[in-house]
Amino acid sequence: MAKKKSRYVCQNCGYVSPGWIGKCPECSSWSSFVEEIEEPSAPAGKKSHEPYVSAVNLRDVRGLETERTHTGIGELDQVLGGGLVKGSVILVGGEPGIGKSTIMLQSAGILSVGSRKVLYVSGEESAAQIKLRAERLGIGTADISILPTNSLEDVLSALDSERFDYVVLDSIQTVASAELNSAAGTVGQVRHVTYRLVEVAKSRAITVLIVGQVTKDGYIAGPKLLEHLVDTVLYFEGDYSRGLRILRSVKNRFGPTDEVGIFEMSDKGLIELKNYSFADDADRSVSGRVNVPVIEGTRAFLVEVQALVAPTFYQFPKRNAMGIDVNRMNMLLAVLDKKGGLNLAGSDVYINVAGGMKITETSADLALCAAIVSSYREQAISPETTFIGEVGLTGTVRPVSNMKSRIAECYKMGVRKFYLPEKVEFDKKIEIVLTRDISGFLDMF
């Protein structure tokens, strides 16, 4: 197959060069040239484009088929919004060893049941290695077509020769097209391969699942355009010490983007954790430790926030946080100092969210304040007590959404005493302590 002519185009100003150069002579940007295939121009006197699509009236458009196919993994279906949509392209990213290939192979094994045909393309493993991993996962006899290749043309040829319902590509950075001279994983190759796969998925109603490698910063390697082209982007996070894996949706054209799925990595693959708490359920009281419910999508999780306040040995006290925004922590410390009278100018403050969770909502403000005060005064807080509320700059505590769902999750985990900014009707016997101001809140310790 003859290679098409390629050119290098600056992604900032559009300057075209026949070869790659480091600095753009037009806009002076560095490393901005990307290889692109040069399309032949239309002959003179002929139309460059024959229209084949005409405009239609919106009221005459009928809805597309959006019937979802369940993957057989409940947590994955929940993150996807109910299952796989025909013709969609899904990108799954995460750190090496987090479980991307594992969940893709498990899903392929379940999807292959019945008359559905699945093609598993691997650019990183041989067929024998995939077989060995499939036997460990208990799907060694699944009806899956394995294609170990690094060539996009091989993938397209396989799709032309046989009708497949699902295609799994592991991974996008290992597949290259012969139409480009650059190596696999480069910006031009990743963009070109993704374009072709999206075109095939939309035109033939094939569901494509793509595994993407990530950079050291945690972002999917390749151009940002990669995430714009696909329909759904999922990220795997986790706590390696516990074997815990969190699947999070950051983009979804066919479902919500705030759902999470919880898994545990085992020797048999990923196991779903439908009812999981990120808090330590041990019946012990330790200073600087508070359990608080947070909402992820439609689900409430009990999370343990930890605070350590210690005398500083530096000219400027240290402020470190894991799992929450450092700026949010500094704001709460300022409120505790100004409105609560808690002098932390001579103390280092460390905040941590157990289990590798990240809290992005403000409902944990009151619990963070309680953990800081608890560590500062060396007064333990009972595991049966929680604090829910948003703390403002004026020191007032404001109510948050989904309060009943949060209370229900806490009650299920044994919490019976709640510090809340408002009264809430609940069908079980609980104790509610009204907390509307941070200054009065400090007097409770």
Side-chain angles (χ1 to χ4, degrees):
M1 176 181 175
K3 291 184 179 179
K4 293 184 179 180
K5 241 181 127 179
S6 62
R7 59 182 183 177
Y8 291 83
V9 181
C10 176
Q11 300 302 294
N12 290 328
C13 66
Y15 182 84
V16 179
S17 171
W20 187 88
I21 51 179
K23 182 180 180 181
C24 178
E26 186 73 25
C27 65
S28 300
S29 60
W30 287 91
S31 302
S32 60
F33 281 88
V34 173
E35 186 181 17
E36 294 182 356
I37 296 176
E38 187 175 355
E39 297 294 340
S41 58
K46 291 188 177 181
K47 293 183 179 180
S48 60
H49 175 65
E50 294 291 341
Y52 55 88
V53 177
S54 57
V56 295
N57 196 294
L58 178 62
R59 62 173 176 264
D60 297 329
V61 177
R62 295 293 177 262
L64 296 175
E65 182 184 355
T66 56
E67 181 181 353
R68 297 180 183 267
T69 302
H70 296 293
T71 62
I73 304 176
E75 293 293 293
L76 177 58
D77 287 337
Q78 178 160 337
V79 176
L80 291 172
L84 298 171
V85 177
K86 183 181 293 187
S88 62
V89 182
I90 301 165
L91 177 64
V92 181
E95 297 179 359
I98 198 74
K100 305 183 297 295
S101 300
T102 299
I103 196 171
M104 289 295 99
L105 190 55
Q106 284 183 250
S107 302
I110 298 173
L111 291 171
S112 64
V113 177
S115 59
R116 296 173 295 195
K117 301 187 71 65
V118 180
L119 175 64
Y120 192 98
V121 181
S122 177
E124 300 177 345
E125 297 176 295
S126 65
Q129 291 173 320
I130 297 173
K131 174 69 174 180
L132 187 64
R133 185 154 53 91
E135 290 179 346
R136 179 173 58 85
L137 300 176
I139 56 173
T141 59
D143 186 15
I144 305 174
S145 299
I146 305 297
L147 180 62
T149 183
N150 298 106
S151 172
L152 173 64
E153 284 69 30
D154 290 345
V155 178
L156 298 178
S157 178
L159 295 177
D160 290 335
S161 60
E162 191 173 354
R163 166 68 183 177
F164 289 97
D165 300 295
Y166 303 94
V167 176
V168 179
L169 179 62
D170 185 12
S171 65
I172 187 68
Q173 284 80 15
T174 61
V175 177
S177 172
E179 296 180 352
L180 298 179
N181 296 318
S182 54
T186 57
V187 172
Q189 285 285 7
V190 171
R191 183 172 63 176
H192 178 68
V193 172
T194 307
Y195 263 126
R196 296 298 303 274
L197 290 176
V198 171
E199 180 184 10
V200 170
K202 303 302 181 184
S203 61
R204 305 183 189 180
I206 300 175
T207 303
V208 179
L209 298 96
I210 301 174
V211 175
Q213 301 171 4
V214 297
T215 63
K216 62 181 181 179
D217 297 323
Y219 301 105
I220 295 179
K224 198 66 178 176
L225 180 67
L226 174 63
E227 299 185 30
H228 291 299
L229 284 174
V230 300
D231 299 307
T232 305
V233 180
L234 307 180
Y235 272 93
F236 253 121
E237 305 168 355
D239 184 355
Y240 286 93
S241 61
R242 297 188 182 186
L244 188 68
R245 302 291 188 266
I246 304 171
L247 184 63
R248 191 183 303 273
S249 172
V250 297
K251 174 189 176 182
N252 194 349
R253 289 174 178 162
F254 307 109
T257 57
D258 52 4
E259 292 286 1
V260 296
I262 312 297
F263 300 89
E264 181 183 7
M265 180 61 78
S266 68
D267 56 347
K268 299 295 183 183
L270 291 169
I271 301 174
E272 299 178 69
L273 299 178
K274 297 184 182 297
N275 297 311
Y276 183 82
S277 171
F278 291 90
D280 187 359
D281 57 356
D283 187 15
R284 56 190 176 89
S285 297
V286 182
S287 63
R289 169 182 177 268
V290 177
N291 295 334
V292 59
V294 297
I295 297 292
E296 290 284 353
T298 58
R299 306 166 65 180
F301 295 98
L302 196 62
V303 176
E304 179 182 319
V305 294
Q306 304 165 348
L308 177 62
V309 181
T312 185
F313 297 98
Y314 306 95
Q315 183 178 2
F316 300 100
K318 301 188 75 173
R319 302 285 190 260
N320 289 336
M322 295 289 290
I324 68 165
D325 184 20
V326 176
N327 295 326
R328 191 77 189 173
M329 179 192 71
N330 290 330
M331 188 205 76
L332 294 176
L333 292 176
V335 173
L336 287 173
D337 188 357
K338 178 74 173 179
K339 302 297 181 180
L342 191 69
N343 186 10
L344 298 173
S347 303
D348 294 332
V349 180
Y350 302 89
I351 300 293
N352 178 54
V353 181
M357 281 289 289
K358 294 181 180 178
I359 300 178
T360 57
E361 57 177 353
T362 58
S363 63
D365 287 355
L366 193 60
L368 287 169
C369 292
I372 293 169
V373 176
S374 171
S375 178
Y376 180 77
R377 297 184 175 177
E378 286 294 335
Q379 288 183 307
I381 297 176
S382 171
E384 297 183 357
T385 303
T386 190
F387 304 79
I388 308 174
E390 176 186 350
V391 178
L393 289 176
T394 60
T396 57
V397 182
R398 298 181 178 183
V400 295
S401 61
N402 299 314
M403 192 68 81
K404 288 188 177 180
S405 299
R406 301 175 195 269
I407 294 176
E409 177 65 18
C410 291
Y411 188 88
K412 186 173 63 176
M413 303 305 297
V415 178
R416 298 295 180 267
K417 188 174 183 180
F418 297 83
Y419 285 80
L420 306 176
E422 62 179 1
K423 284 286 186 181
V424 178
E425 295 295 330
F426 193 66
D427 56 356
K428 301 288 194 326
K429 186 178 180 181
I430 59 174
E431 179 184 355
I432 296 179
V433 180
L434 288 180
T435 308
R436 296 192 174 97
D437 188 82
I438 203 69
S439 58
F441 164 73
L442 294 178
D443 296 337
M444 299 178 184
F445 284 82

